[in-house]
Amino acid sequence: MYSPMKNSPLSIPFNKNALISGLLYLGLIIVGMYAFVYAFPQIIIKGDVAATLANVTASKPQFRFAIFCILMMNVISILLALYLYKLLAPINKNMGRFMLSFLLLGAGISMLNEINHIGILLVSDAASYTVVEAQNFTSLFIE
């Protein structure tokens, strides 16, 4: 165990779970910020379904990468929940279980919600829909 200030009262022992949790938080912030702050606000325009459908059609790679980032964010959230449980379980095992169950439940719900974004992508790819049908489906998936 490496500690640069071995005799100092402020020395904190190195904890691998704490380091991994911090790195997972950093990864969570990076992919989440890209998807929710950069990509989706440029593509999905509130109140204008036609512009949203046109943006999705025009920038499919960016939209697909945003969906991928959200799915990665959820995988990172699951890993983070497991490492936080390992880190906090010695303090209070019951509270650690509650935290783990709620974080896993939230990640699962968020993954299911990505079906809506995938639906928008599928509607924009399908040539069999009329413009009105595609806009109605896009409106349904956005809401």
Side-chain angles (χ1 to χ4, degrees):
M1 196 179 307
Y2 172 74
S3 179
M5 300 183 294
K6 198 167 198 163
N7 296 327
S8 171
L10 298 176
S11 66
I12 299 171
F14 178 75
N15 190 336
K16 183 179 156 185
N17 290 333
L19 177 67
I20 292 174
S21 296
L23 291 174
L24 287 172
Y25 264 124
L26 183 63
L28 188 71
I29 290 169
I30 291 170
V31 295
M33 291 291 278
Y34 173 78
F36 288 118
V37 175
Y38 178 71
F40 282 143
Q42 285 185 348
I43 296 172
I44 297 175
I45 299 168
K46 302 276 184 195
D48 194 357
V49 178
T52 299
L53 192 57
N55 287 345
V56 169
T57 304
S59 56
K60 285 181 187 173
Q62 182 182 6
F63 194 69
R64 285 184 179 129
F65 189 65
I67 292 170
F68 174 75
C69 282
I70 291 177
L71 292 174
M72 284 305 302
M73 186 182 75
N74 290 312
V75 170
I76 291 171
S77 294
I78 291 169
L79 291 174
L80 178 64
L82 294 173
Y83 275 100
L84 283 176
Y85 176 74
K86 283 183 187 178
L87 184 67
L88 300 174
I91 297 169
N92 191 335
K93 204 164 204 124
N94 287 333
M95 294 305 267
R97 286 183 187 140
F98 279 126
M99 177 209 58
L100 182 64
S101 62
F102 286 129
L103 286 175
L104 291 176
L105 182 67
I109 290 170
S110 181
M111 283 184 172
L112 283 175
N113 190 39
E114 282 311 297
I115 292 172
N116 291 322
H117 289 136
I118 294 169
I120 293 172
L121 191 61
L122 291 175
V123 166
S124 71
D125 282 341
S128 61
Y129 296 118
T130 65
V131 175
V132 175
E133 289 174 337
Q135 288 177 357
N136 287 338
F137 278 126
T138 302
S139 176
L140 173 72
F141 289 131
I142 288 174
E143 296 297 322

